[in-house]
Each structure stands twice: as structure tokens, then as C-alpha cells.
Amino acid sequence: MVAVGCASGAPADAPAALIGGGGSAEAAVVMVDAGVGPCSGVLVAPRVVLTAAHCVVPGAPTGEVRLGSGAPWDETVAIVAVHRHRGYGGDVGPDLALVRLATATSAPPLAPSVDPLAVGAALTVVGFGRTVVDDPATVGARRAGVFTVVAGDAERVTATGVGAATCAGDSGGPGLDAAGRIAAVVSAGGGDCAGPTWLTRVAPHAGWIAAVVAAWDGPCSADGVCAPGCATVDPDCDPCGLDGACASACPAPDLDCPLGAGAGATCAAATACESRVCVAAPEDATSGYCSAPCTVATDCPSPLAACVDQVCQYAGATPGVVGAACSAAAACRSGLCDLGAGVCTRGCDADPACPADWACTTTAQGRLCRAVEGCAVGGGGRSDAGLWALAALVALSLRRRRASAAS
């Protein structure tokens, strides 16, 4: 993890507050102190603040949020819960977190953007970070600067300021689009508080924000009372809601659970997959992998690259299925590599446990399914048509040899 006030997606120890820029009247942007150090954030509901994941301690609500342009503060509200994005892993995943406040605030919240953030787009970045690089005492004044997106990937964008740069304490602050919506959140900046800034996109995670806000600050929130007829899951009625406990068998992922397996990961049930889609490999119905719904191939997450019957699949052979080449168990979805044959297999007690044209065979590794000698691996053996074709080739070869000998 990088230094306080920084985040993943940038060089290690690269601090991320606004040097230059000017004062900001955006009351929804707040200062966050959640036990990690001074950060910034933005209200997305009267009791919910969006900030950077590296600005909070997971599972340990502590600290407070301060509202106003600086000391003396207009309001100070205690933090009662924090929720890091399930996909955040320090150096990978969305650097986003939500903070729940003890009471509602007076400032009007801002809406997260659901639109893509393109290169060339302008962002107004707002934060409470240092205004002097080497002076921590300069943290705590709300300032804003204009930035331009110069590069990006699916998760983050890089932006450069026009006479402004982020510095320690601006992490978690919003990048607002032309409509005043939250398009991104500051993750990190240059170590000298003069380089580009890395921000996490918000639009791909708008659904996650909405789900947490509904559980924390909606009409069916976690308030100890089960309310019937909710449009969203009331945590007081359903263990699959955001109630602080992981329920693994939910039709949709429980936000309290760790992130489920991604595309291509081996699965035995849909609940093991973050997408809640587990499909059988075409070559081996006993080997399942996590997939995703699709309309066209470009909808499919890597390593899947084909859309078949509205479900993502591998464009070629499925890796790791029974019959695939291997030199170690880790290469096989079954966790078992037949080292003598050099292919993935599975254990067995009798032939019916094995694929067609495979037999349960005693090997140095114990009883394993192994392809019958002379049969195609994972296939149905030679068909009658194949035998007739082979015979025709032999006959043609003999005729050519006789013709050659006669000439």
C-alpha cells in the first residue's frame, strides 16, 4: 500500500491535495478522517460519503467527517460504518469506499455519473489536501482545480491539471464532470505534487453505490425494522442484504461477502461466481467455469472471447479440461494431472465415471481415467465413416504405387 493520501494505480509512495487551483463552494465535498489520515470525500446521500478505499480501515468504523470550506467547520459528524468496494485489493481493483454517518447532513449530495469518461474530458477536482507540498499544516481548506483526462483504462483515468495538481489529503475527492456529477474519485498523484493525477472511474460502479446507499440511507435501510414491499433488499428482512454478515447462497452477490470468482475461474455452482453464471465446458461437461451473459463477443470479459447462445465462452479450446495437456496439477480444473499421459484427468472407481473412450486405469498415481489406446482424447473414437475414409486412402496409395511401378 502506498503512503497515506495515496492509492493504487500510480507509482509507489506517490502522494495524492490541490496545489494551485482556487477556493470551492461545493458543499457536498467533505473532509474525511477515518483513521488513515486526512482525506477528502463527497456526499452521495445525506448519510453516505464516497471516498477512496485506501482512506478507510475496513471493518473498523472510526473517525469523523467534517463539512464546510475549512476550520471552523460547519458540521462534524461521526462515522458509524465503512464499506470498501469488494473488488479493491490494495494494488488492484476499484479504489472506492463508502462511509456511513451517524446523522444526516445539511449539505445536498451529488449524483454519481453513469456516463463513460473519455480522453479529453474536463474534470473539476475538489479536495482538502495540502496547498504547500512539505507542510502538513496546510491540509484542510476546500479547493478546486480544472483537470483534463489524458489517458485511461476500464478502471482508472489519468488527468493533468491546468495550473493545479493534487497532493496529500486530496485522495477520495471527486472529479466532477460538466454536469456537476461525480465522474471519478482521486486515487493518487505525483510524488512531488506536480505530476498527473490518477482517478478511479465511478460509472462502472454506480450500481454498487446505489445498492449501499439504499441499505444505509433508503426507506428500506438497515434500521432494525423489516419493511415489506421494498424495491431493494431490506437488510433487516433478508440475510443477502448489506447487514455486515456474508450469506453465500444469494441469487445476487451479497455485498458483505468477498468478491466471487471471475471469468474463466473453475466453478461447480453459479454462487461461486461473481457474475452468478457458471457454464460447462463444451469438451467436458464435468468442468465448469465462470462466465457472463453477452449479446456480442465484445461483451465478454477476458479470457473469454466468444458469445455463444448469449453466454461468454472461450474462443478456442477450454484450458484445463479433461484431456488437455498438462505437466502439473495446477494446470487442470480437476486438480489432477495424469503425469504418465501428460493430460488432465480425474480419479475413478470404475469406467462409467470416465468420459467416452476413456477407461478407469490403475496408474502410479492411483486409479485414473485414461484415454483408451487408439481413441481420440475426449472424443467418440473413430466412426464408420472415418474407417471407410482411411480404407480409401490406403487403396489410393496402393494404386499410385502400382502405376509408378508399371511406368
Side-chain angles (χ1 to χ4, degrees):
M1 190 59 229
V2 294
V4 172
C6 312
S8 57
D13 299 321
L18 279 168
I19 302 292
S24 170
E26 188 50 76
V29 180
V30 300
M31 189 168 178
V32 177
D33 187 352
V36 177
C39 279
S40 302
V42 57
L43 287 162
V44 291
R47 289 188 60 188
V48 184
V49 171
L50 175 65
T51 187
H54 72 270
C55 287
V56 304
V57 178
T62 184
E64 59 190 22
V65 164
R66 305 180 190 112
L67 287 80
S69 58
W73 302 99
D74 297 338
E75 294 179 72
T76 298
V77 186
I79 295 171
V80 295
V82 296
H83 183 73
R84 277 182 169 179
H85 193 288
R86 296 164 66 247
Y88 177 68
D91 292 331
V92 296
D95 187 16
L96 298 173
L98 291 162
V99 172
R100 191 182 193 191
L101 307 180
T103 59
T105 57
S106 59
L110 296 181
S113 172
V114 295
D115 296 329
L117 185 54
V119 170
L123 292 174
T124 299
V125 177
V126 189
F128 285 84
R130 297 181 190 181
T131 55
V132 177
V133 177
D134 298 323
D135 189 357
T138 60
V139 170
R142 188 173 60 212
R143 298 177 69 81
V146 177
F147 287 67
T148 301
V149 176
V150 296
D153 57 25
E155 199 63 66
R156 287 168 289 275
V157 297
T158 304
T160 56
V162 181
T166 56
C167 197
D170 280 331
S171 287
L176 306 178
D177 64 14
R181 299 171 302 178
I182 309 163
V185 167
V186 175
S187 287
D192 55 359
C193 298
T197 290
W198 289 263
L199 303 97
T200 299
R201 295 178 183 270
V202 165
H205 311 291
W208 165 74
I209 294 171
V212 178
V213 168
W216 278 358
D217 201 23
C220 296
S221 61
D223 55 6
V225 178
C226 175
C230 293
T232 59
V233 175
D234 186 337
D236 301 301
C237 306
D238 190 334
C240 295
L242 185 62
D243 58 358
C246 172
S248 59
C250 297
D254 184 343
L255 295 181
D256 296 300
C257 295
L259 195 69
T266 300
C267 59
T271 51
C273 306
E274 182 69 11
S275 64
R276 290 301 192 263
V277 179
C278 178
V279 298
E283 308 93 330
D284 177 15
T286 66
S287 294
Y289 59 86
C290 294
S291 180
C294 60
T295 301
V296 294
T298 52
D299 295 336
C300 296
S302 179
L304 310 181
C307 185
V308 181
D309 295 331
Q310 297 185 311
V311 176
C312 294
Q313 293 187 6
Y314 285 91
T318 305
V321 296
V322 171
C326 65
S327 58
C332 303
R333 294 182 183 274
S334 64
L336 190 56
C337 175
D338 183 342
L339 300 177
V343 297
C344 294
T345 186
R346 60 174 178 262
C348 59
D349 294 321
D351 289 348
C354 299
D357 293 335
W358 289 56
C360 193
T361 306
T362 300
T363 73
Q365 294 172 253
R367 298 278 285 174
L368 301 178
C369 292
R370 182 171 279 183
V372 176
E373 192 69 27
C375 293
V377 173
R382 289 192 183 125
S383 64
D384 289 343
L387 292 173
W388 280 111
L390 180 61
L393 287 172
V394 171
L396 178 62
S397 177
L398 289 174
R399 284 198 299 272
R400 285 176 175 171
R401 289 179 182 177
R402 290 168 183 160
S404 177
S407 60

